[in-house]
Every structure is written in C-alpha cells, then in structure tokens.
Amino acid sequence: MLDLKWLRNNLYNAADRLASRGFALGVERFKVLEEQRKSVQVHTEALQAQRNACSKYIGQAKQRGEDIASLMVDVERIGSELSNSKVKLEKIHSELHSILLGIPNIPHESAPIGKDKDGNVEVRRWGIPKSFDFEIRDHVAIGKLTGDLDCETAAKMSGARFALLRGPIARMHRALAQFMINLHTNEHGYEEAYTPYLVNASALLGTSQLPKFKDDLFKISRDGASDLYLIPTAEVSLTNIVAHEILDIRLLPIKFVTHSPCFRSEAGASGRDTHGMMRQHQFDKVEIVQVVEPSTSMQALEDLTVNAERVLQLLNLPYRVLALCTGDMGFSALKTYDLEVWIPSQDKYREVSSCSNCGDFQARRMHARFRNPESGKLELVYTINGSGLAVGRTLVAVLENYQQADGSIRVPEVLKPYMAGVEVIG
C-alpha cells in the first residue's frame, strides 16, 4: 500500500508513473475526498473543542450553584453534531483506504517502461538449448510412456488442471524440492521454515493478494469462525512472519525459505497452458523471502535472483532473465526479474521464477518495522520475494531437456543423491 501522505503531496506524479503500469488513478475523486476530509476533520476538531470547553464550563457553573439546564442542552446538541461528523469522517477515511488498497506499487525508475510482456527486457542468458536428433516429446507424452504422470486419474478425483505423479517421477519431484531447499539453506544463507497452508484474510491483505485477487483464491468458510484461505504462494506465510513486529536492525536481512503447495483458482485463466503441468490449481514451490533495511533492497533483489538462477545452473537447464516492464509487473512489485527456463517441446523459454522487490508496499499493510538507530524512529522494512523455484515447472523442464530417444529420462547429476543413485528413469 502506498503512503497516503506521499500520495497527497505527489498526486500527479503518482498518476503519471502508475499510468505506465496501465493503471488509471482516479485523481479527481481523490482530490474531492481529500477536500471533504480536510473540511470535515476541521469541523470535527472544532466541535470536540467546543464540547470540551462546555463541559469544563458546566463543571465550574455547578460549583457556583448556577442553573446549567441550558448549558446541558448545548452540550447535547454539540455531542449529537460531533457524532454525526465523526461518522461522516469515518466514511471518507474508509473510501480513501479502499482506494489505497486498489492502487498498485509505484514502479522503480530502473524498471523498463512498457504496456505488456512485449516490453520486457532480456538481461542475460545462460546455457545453450540442446539439439535433439529425434522427435521431441512434451512432458505429458514422456509421463505416459513411463506411466508416472497421470492427469486423467487426477481429473477423476479433482477435475481439470490437477496431476497425479507416481513412482520415479514423483520421487524426482520430491528430489527437486529437497535439492532446492538444501541449496538455499546451505549455500545462500536462508533459514528453513515450515508455514501454515491456511491463512486468514489479514495475512493475504498484508501481502496484497486481497482485495485485488480475491477471485483467484480458494476460500474455506467456517460457521462461527473467520474464513480461511489456501495459500496461493508461501510468500504470504513467510512474509507475514514479521507482520506487526518491530525488528532489531541488527537482525536484518532476515532470509526465509520454505517448500509448500500453492493453490490458485486462477479465474479467467482457462484455455492457457491447461495441458499437463504448466498451469495447475495445485502446485509446489520453493519460496525465498528477504526482509531488509531499505537502502539494501535493490542489491537484495539482485542477490535473491542469483540465488534462484543457481538452481537452474546446477541442473544444467538453459534459461534467460527478463526485467519486467511496468505493464507486466505484479501488483505489489516495484521491480521484478523473471527467470524463464527452456522448454524443448514449446521451442521457447517459460517462466519458472519471478523475483520482486516490493519496497515498503507490503510492510505498510503488515505494520512491519525496525527502529533506526541513528534517528531512533520507527521505519518500514522492505520485502523481497521470489520462487526458488516452482517445482512442477522445473520438473517439466528436466523431463523434457533430459529426455532420450527411447522415452527414458536421464537424471541430472545434482539429483542423483536424492534418487538413491538412479541414473535413468525408464
């Protein structure tokens, strides 16, 4: 969420920068509400002062034995008017807050300007896509040959866009997650966490999934208790660890990693990548999050992106890094890098990780702060997050890049210790 004070003082600048994201800020409505707020607030404060003065005078009049009947009538009138003014002020504040919740983050000046994914800028590539001397199979065809990827049985029990993994491919899926977790904890300095898969609305509000993306969430309604939601990403649960906390600056950066399932309804996304495992309602992801002091956030984003890249490098999977343009960035991000891995059957790179600097956008919603030792004042932390990596899509990339002519799959070297030494899935 943006700083309301900053928005008041930079309204037209904010509108211009948000326009580069394709977001139209309702400047005129905001100005009207602000004028109303100022007027009603001044009136409310004046009424409060009048009531206080009258109450004080009534006390003094009582001591003097004077008739206070007319004064009591005035106090009652002022009190009634004050109550009405407070209600009006609260309605204005509520509308302003709703507007703030719907405004995306301001893009960083280093983010490329563009309307959509065509405006994304390639930053670098790693690895060379392999040439195959046989007809390339996609991951669904490979899974059918081995009998270990079964979307039909999954559909029987859950509907479309679910997958059942069995045998060696199920083990490879688990191996990938374990490999990623071990890499990030042992080499990149992240603390492993196990977090809830069900969270309340406040947690989703804190990381900006609510109210913007409510239609993409799976909600569980409960009688006599607040609703719970299945997490769309462990970014929600990891980042909310610091919600409503005042952190010791000496502990920053805080770096978390977890492996979790993710659940997304993805309303309106039907028809895109519904074949196989590319876009599912349930998928696994290893998530990495950093909570940092503001001045270090851009370097933290670079470091976190490199951490995610290292997974692909050790798996020897060709990939590229894109700097997302303003029109393609996520709602809470001020700058984002996407990692896209090579998918042979599609003859193109596909997203396997998105790494974002959210600035203080999430921290303001979560009230996550630290005390500046120089000024002694409380300041908002900055939050960085990314996939390190999406396990299912990484599995797709491994199956397709390591396929052989007979339909078997070679096991990447780094995964062999997690696969009991198995070298080929046949």
Side-chain angles (χ1 to χ4, degrees):
M1 187 165 63
L2 299 180
D3 181 3
L4 180 56
K5 183 178 179 180
W6 179 88
L7 189 60
R8 287 170 183 156
N9 296 330
N10 299 273
L11 187 58
Y12 290 100
N13 176 38
D16 288 342
R17 295 173 68 181
L18 288 167
S20 73
R21 298 189 62 132
F23 181 84
L25 180 63
V27 172
E28 294 309 315
R29 180 57 184 163
F30 185 86
K31 287 171 63 178
V32 167
L33 285 171
E34 271 296 291
E35 288 302 316
Q36 291 177 352
R37 179 195 63 80
K38 290 176 186 176
S39 175
V40 175
Q41 188 166 313
V42 168
H43 184 56
T44 302
E45 290 171 354
L47 288 170
Q48 184 74 58
Q50 286 180 39
R51 189 175 70 170
N52 292 343
C54 281
S55 297
K56 182 178 180 181
Y57 187 77
I58 287 171
Q60 293 171 344
K62 273 185 177 180
Q63 290 179 348
R64 293 193 298 266
E66 298 175 3
D67 183 8
I68 61 170
S70 60
L71 294 174
M72 293 299 292
V73 171
D74 284 343
V75 168
E76 186 175 345
R77 176 186 57 78
I78 293 170
S80 177
E81 192 176 345
L82 178 60
S83 295
N84 292 334
S85 189
K86 284 182 176 179
V87 168
K88 190 174 181 180
L89 184 60
E90 178 58 33
K91 286 182 178 179
I92 295 170
H93 278 302
S94 179
E95 186 172 349
L96 282 170
H97 186 66
S98 294
I99 289 173
L100 278 177
L101 289 177
I103 300 174
N105 206 350
I106 300 292
H108 192 264
E109 55 267 22
S110 65
I113 304 296
K115 292 182 178 180
D116 51 35
K117 64 180 181 180
D118 293 334
N120 296 338
V121 176
E122 185 173 311
V123 177
R124 55 184 173 270
R125 291 192 181 197
W126 187 93
I128 300 173
K130 178 184 175 182
S131 296
F132 293 87
D133 57 5
F134 56 87
E135 185 177 351
I136 296 172
R137 301 177 180 87
D138 70 7
H139 68 284
V140 176
I142 294 169
K144 285 183 177 179
L145 279 177
T146 65
D148 295 329
L149 171 56
D150 184 351
C151 293
E152 287 76 15
T153 301
K156 180 176 64 177
M157 65 180 87
S158 303
R161 290 160 69 174
F162 290 90
L164 169 65
L165 305 181
R166 299 171 60 175
I169 287 184
R171 182 165 191 164
M172 180 177 280
H173 184 271
R174 173 166 57 91
L176 281 166
Q178 290 179 311
F179 158 64
M180 294 174 193
I181 286 285
N182 287 348
L183 175 66
H184 294 313
T185 54
N186 295 338
E187 296 188 20
H188 299 154
Y190 291 83
E191 176 188 350
E192 184 173 358
Y194 172 78
T195 66
Y197 302 158
L198 289 165
V199 295
N200 56 33
S202 176
L204 290 157
L205 185 72
T207 48
S208 308
Q209 278 76 22
L210 284 178
K212 175 70 173 175
F213 303 106
K214 62 182 178 65
D215 292 337
D216 290 335
L217 301 170
F218 286 106
K219 182 171 76 170
I220 299 172
S221 298
R222 302 188 296 167
D223 291 336
S226 59
D227 295 339
L228 290 176
Y229 297 80
L230 288 163
I231 57 170
T233 165
E235 170 198 339
V236 176
S237 45
L238 284 180
T239 309
N240 270 280
I241 291 174
V242 299
H244 304 285
E245 296 290 335
I246 298 176
L247 303 169
D248 187 335
I249 192 173
R250 293 172 297 180
L251 299 179
L252 301 180
I254 296 172
K255 301 166 68 175
F256 292 123
V257 61
T258 193
H259 165 223
S260 78
C262 306
F263 306 91
R264 297 184 186 178
S265 174
E266 295 195 285
S270 59
R272 297 187 300 157
D273 293 328
T274 56
H275 177 66
M277 296 181 63
M278 289 301 292
R279 187 178 293 274
Q280 297 189 296
H281 292 312
Q282 173 188 314
F283 60 96
D284 278 39
K285 190 151 63 80
V286 170
E287 184 75 6
I288 46 180
V289 163
Q290 294 194 26
V291 179
V292 304
E293 188 269 322
S295 66
T296 66
S297 71
M298 295 311 292
Q299 183 58 52
L301 174 62
E302 300 294 330
D303 294 343
L304 182 141
T305 304
V306 168
N307 296 157
E309 287 181 71
R310 187 60 179 152
V311 176
L312 294 171
Q313 291 170 4
L314 290 173
L315 288 169
N316 200 25
L317 294 173
Y319 69 90
R320 65 177 183 172
V321 180
L322 300 179
L324 296 196
C325 71
T326 52
D328 198 34
M329 288 195 305
F331 183 80
S332 59
L334 59 84
K335 186 171 184 178
T336 298
Y337 292 116
D338 268 10
L339 274 58
E340 295 187 342
V341 67
W342 181 253
I343 303 295
S345 68
Q346 299 183 20
D347 195 34
K348 61 182 178 181
Y349 294 94
R350 296 302 305 273
E351 179 197 337
V352 73
S353 174
S354 192
C355 304
S356 298
N357 181 351
C358 297
D360 60 10
F361 192 80
Q362 294 177 327
R364 182 169 287 105
R365 290 173 175 236
M366 297 188 304
H367 305 287
R369 298 165 294 172
F370 72 98
R371 190 174 298 280
N372 187 317
E374 295 182 3
S375 66
K377 295 181 179 179
L378 293 178
E379 297 181 18
L380 294 167
V381 296
Y382 276 29
T383 57
I384 324 291
N385 66 72
S387 303
L389 305 165
V391 181
R393 288 198 174 189
T394 307
L395 176 64
V396 168
V398 170
L399 294 178
E400 294 199 12
N401 281 278
Y402 281 84
Q403 65 180 294
Q404 302 185 103
D406 62 357
S408 61
I409 308 112
R410 289 186 298 108
V411 176
E413 284 294 325
V414 292
L415 295 186
K416 288 179 182 178
Y418 303 91
M419 297 285 293
V422 171
E423 296 194 357
V424 176
I425 295 174

